[in-house]
Amino acid sequence: MLLGLENSKGELLRKQKKHVENLLEKLRVVQNSENSRPSQLSGGMRQKSSSYSHISLEPDLLLLDEPFSALDYQTRLSVGDDIGTIIRQEGKTAILVTHDIAEAVSMADRVIIFSNRPALSKKIINIKFLWKNARLWQSRNAPEFKTYFNE
């Protein structure tokens, strides 16, 4: 996870290292994988590591362009849940580009539906679940999920 976080002198800033350690501690990261090379990790762990590395840079805005598309369904839910949790806990703003309606509804505060080319905003749907801070899979079981999904 620390790969690529060094400054121009090749030094890892203490603040970034501490932030990454806190993320690893908060989340369900497989023990002993923090020192692994990317080629030694599964696809899901590579995606998690990449996402956590981006978040550890503490950007004001995260752009997630189809971040889970290469993952199997179960891993997709797990990684999406972790990323959503981090974004909420850290108070980050993220733009998630996806073609998966269920993913958009369960992760978003607001869904913007675009037209075909040229892409124009057709509709904005504000998402509010009664279950505050529900996990991704819990949101999909919420009574209002189906209404948002169908809309």
Side-chain angles (χ1 to χ4, degrees):
M1 270 189 51
L2 299 173
L3 188 65
L5 295 180
E6 297 89 11
N7 64 17
S8 61
K9 295 178 184 176
E11 301 167 340
L12 185 64
L13 300 176
R14 183 175 295 134
K15 180 181 170 189
Q16 287 177 315
K17 185 173 183 181
K18 185 67 176 162
H19 190 67
V20 170
E21 288 169 354
N22 288 336
L23 285 176
L24 288 170
E25 194 174 304
K26 281 185 203 176
L27 299 165
R28 303 175 304 242
V29 177
V30 178
Q31 294 280 341
N32 302 320
S33 66
E34 63 271 7
N35 295 317
S36 300
R37 295 183 153 300
S39 62
Q40 297 170 313
L41 300 173
S42 67
M45 284 303 296
R46 274 195 298 265
Q47 184 64 45
K48 280 184 180 185
S49 294
S50 173
S51 298
Y52 300 164
S53 292
H54 288 98
I55 292 169
S56 70
L57 294 172
E58 301 187 67
D60 293 327
L61 176 68
L62 288 166
L63 177 58
L64 305 169
D65 188 4
E66 299 274 358
F68 317 121
S69 61
L71 304 175
D72 63 79
Y73 184 73
Q74 195 166 6
T75 304
R76 183 180 203 140
L77 286 177
S78 172
V79 173
D81 196 36
D82 288 345
I83 300 302
T85 299
I86 292 171
I87 289 168
R88 282 192 298 273
Q89 286 178 353
E90 304 260 325
K92 297 294 179 192
T93 299
I95 297 173
L96 171 67
V97 177
T98 183
H99 292 91
D100 185 329
I101 297 169
E103 184 175 82
V105 170
S106 60
M107 289 188 77
D109 296 326
R110 180 174 40 211
V111 173
I112 303 171
I113 301 168
F114 289 95
S115 66
N116 289 330
R117 292 184 180 154
L120 301 171
S121 174
K122 285 175 52 174
K123 188 173 190 176
I124 298 174
I125 302 168
N126 290 311
I127 308 290
K128 290 195 189 245
F129 287 106
L130 297 176
W131 302 341
K132 203 83 163 143
N133 297 323
R135 306 292 285 191
L136 184 64
W137 58 271
Q138 291 170 323
S139 297
R140 293 177 185 220
N141 292 323
E144 59 273 30
F145 178 85
K146 185 176 181 181
T147 303
Y148 288 129
F149 184 90
N150 290 335
E151 188 176 346

